[in-house]
Each structure stands twice: as C-alpha cells, then as structure tokens.
Amino acid sequence: MAQSSPSAPDLTTVLPRIALFADLSPAQLTALARIVRRQQFSRGAVIIAQGEVGEVAFLILSGSVDIAVCAPDGRQFVLAELGPLEYFGEMALLDDTDRQRSATVVAREKTELVLIRRDDFLALLDQHPSIARHLLRSLSRRLRLANEKIAGLAFADVARRLAGTVLASATDEHGRLVVRATHEELAAMTGAARQTVTRVLNTWRRHGYIATGREQLLILDPTGLRAIAEGD
C-alpha cells in the first residue's frame, strides 16, 4: 500500500545525483524540489500497471523495482531491475497525448519514490525554459545507451545464427573444415545484413576461430563456434 510524505529540503542534494537532472543549476533544482512529492510503496505494490495512461515520472530514492511486461498468454517477463537514483516513466513528462504505459512496475521491497506530475513539470518549464535543454541532453544520453545495448544484442543474435550456419555448411576436406560461401551467401542463409556478417567474421578471425580466403573460410575452432551457436 502506498503512503505519501511531503517533499523534503534534502531533495535538492539528491536530485542532482539522478542522471536525468544532473545538469540542472542549484536554482533549477530548488524549483524542481518544490513541485515533487515523495511516496513510499510496500514490497509487491504495483506502482505502474501496463496499459494505464501515464502522467507521472518516478525517481527512486531507496529500495528497488522490477520493470515487467505481460505477454498475451499471461506470462510475465522482467525487463530490468532498477535501484536508488534510477528513474522510470520519464516520457510521461513530455508526452501529453495520454499514451498508455508499456510496462508494469512493481516494488521489489519497501521503496521510496519521488513523483513528478506532468502538468506541474510543464508549468515549471514555462518558468525555467532552460531546464528543457538539460532534460533533452540527459534523455539523449539514455537513448544512446539504449541503442548501443540493442545493437549489442542484435550483433550477438546474428553471431549465434551465423555460427550455426557456418557449422552446418562446413565440409571435411582432407581433415579440414571448410565453408565455401561468400559473405553475401552467408548473410542470405543467416537472414542478416552482409555488413553485420562481415563484422562477425572479422571478429572471429581476430580471435582465432576461423581463417578466411577468397569465397571460403576455414574453421579453426569448431568447439568455440559451437559454444557461440548454443549461446554459451
């Protein structure tokens, strides 16, 4: 069950430690602290429900939360665990189209949050327009990190599929495992972009998994490629 408590003066020292507001000036932090409120949630409390309309952003002062999504068949998948000085629901501050929340957030333990309502925040931006510039810079950094993570996951997925394709396509030629295929052919068989396949093959060559020649490659470490294919 949620419990409310008034905003405290020490928030001006906590807020700059949260990445979203790290670039704000002392005056801006003081103005921000005036419009927020603190709220405590017990372990297991649902803070945000997937599908509900969002108009509040949350900053974690203490405790931790799970970010989860529900599949159509009812299964729940935890996307992330967030702890002190992290934040979630921040897009509600800027998006006034009544978009639905894309995930459910549940308190993993007794958790204290700072709540910022969209209307209060937009009114603050009218008084301190420079805050918007700092906020966009912080959001851009977060988006860049998210994109890098997504790119890393995509690269790992291609590596797994490509390893399986290479092993399945290899023929034993006088005791050597050889794959006779161009990068374009391997990309088509793997269902990936040729540039990505080339990057993966170059990485494997540097690590000694394969050697490459004209329209062919030699498998030097089939055990290593098998581990990649199996996601180990």
Side-chain angles (χ1 to χ4, degrees):
M1 180 176 181
Q3 299 175 346
S4 297
S5 60
S7 180
D10 62 358
L11 280 180
T12 56
T13 63
V14 175
L15 290 174
R17 297 169 60 198
I18 297 173
L20 189 62
F21 302 116
D23 297 328
L24 298 190
S25 69
Q28 292 168 337
L29 290 168
T30 298
L32 176 62
R34 292 195 188 104
I35 69 167
V36 305
R37 63 188 179 94
R38 299 164 75 139
Q39 191 166 338
Q40 292 186 350
F41 294 83
S42 58
R43 182 176 181 269
V46 176
I47 301 166
I48 288 176
Q50 183 176 338
E52 70 181 14
V53 174
E55 59 177 22
V56 179
F58 302 84
L59 319 174
I60 304 175
L61 289 182
S62 63
S64 59
V65 303
D66 277 336
I67 311 292
V69 294
C70 292
D73 61 7
R75 289 179 299 165
Q76 190 174 71
F77 299 90
V78 176
L79 301 178
E81 177 188 338
L82 303 181
L85 303 183
E86 294 187 286
Y87 56 92
F88 56 93
E90 68 278 6
M91 295 310 297
L93 295 179
L94 301 177
D95 191 346
D96 60 357
T97 58
D98 292 333
R99 290 189 180 274
Q100 296 180 333
R101 299 287 194 181
S102 59
T104 293
V105 182
V106 179
R108 291 175 54 88
E109 57 191 303
K110 183 178 179 181
T111 299
E112 185 173 15
L113 305 175
V114 170
L115 282 62
I116 310 175
R117 293 180 59 84
R118 179 200 302 147
D119 289 346
D120 294 334
F121 187 73
L122 293 179
L124 178 67
L125 292 186
D126 288 338
Q127 301 170 16
H128 300 271
S130 60
I131 291 179
R133 182 173 64 254
H134 296 304
L135 182 65
L136 289 174
R137 186 181 302 130
S138 296
L139 290 175
S140 295
R141 284 197 295 262
R142 183 157 173 157
L143 179 60
R144 190 180 306 113
L145 291 174
N147 286 340
E148 290 172 357
K149 184 176 181 180
I150 291 171
L153 292 173
F155 187 83
D157 182 61
V158 170
R160 283 194 295 270
R161 288 186 281 127
L162 181 60
T165 298
V166 166
L167 290 169
S169 304
T171 58
D172 190 331
E173 299 185 8
H174 308 292
R176 305 195 314 168
L177 291 175
V178 178
V179 178
R180 298 191 179 279
T182 65
H183 290 196
E184 288 82 358
E185 291 169 337
L186 289 173
M189 288 187 286
T190 306
R194 184 193 63 77
Q195 295 89 339
T196 305
V197 167
T198 298
R199 285 176 55 207
V200 174
L201 293 176
N202 288 339
T203 299
W204 289 353
R205 189 178 63 247
R206 289 195 301 270
H207 286 82
Y209 292 125
I210 63 172
T212 56
R214 184 176 180 81
E215 298 187 359
Q216 67 178 13
L217 62 86
L218 174 65
I219 298 176
L220 302 177
D221 186 356
T223 301
L225 289 184
R226 195 169 295 111
I228 294 172
E230 294 172 355
D232 295 341

